[in-house]
Amino acid sequence: MSALTIILQVLLVLTSFMLVLSILMHKGKGGGLSDMFGGGISSSLGSSGVAERNLNRITIGSAVVWGVVIVLLGLIQRFTF
């Protein structure tokens, strides 16, 4: 196992956790599962537009990094065997 593979796998785990946490931090948009677990109760903490935009940027950025890491790991695996 090369050092690049190990680095990419660690980056994959970190971005996976970051992606899950950032998705769970988003405010619920309608009457779905988020309302069932208390997401329908509006609070003043999550109502900031700037915070929501920054959370969107973090989510999109970590999703792009996650996708690139997946593709790179697939290419490394394909060309090493």
Side-chain angles (χ1 to χ4, degrees):
M1 203 178 245
S2 69
L4 180 62
T5 306
I6 294 171
I7 291 171
L8 286 174
Q9 287 176 347
V10 168
L11 189 60
L12 180 68
V13 169
L14 291 176
T15 56
S16 296
F17 282 129
M18 189 171 188
L19 192 59
V20 167
L21 290 176
S22 65
I23 288 172
L24 288 175
M25 286 173 49
H26 277 282
K27 186 170 53 171
K29 300 285 190 222
L33 285 177
S34 62
D35 285 343
M36 179 191 293
F37 297 112
I41 302 170
S42 64
S43 67
S44 62
L45 295 175
S47 63
S48 174
V50 175
E52 191 70 26
R53 276 194 302 256
N54 288 336
L55 188 58
N56 286 340
R57 290 179 187 143
I58 291 170
T59 304
I60 291 170
S62 58
V64 167
V65 171
W66 185 84
V68 168
V69 169
I70 289 289
V71 169
L72 288 175
L73 280 172
L75 289 174
I76 289 173
Q77 184 179 4
R78 179 180 175 130
F79 290 122
T80 57
F81 290 120

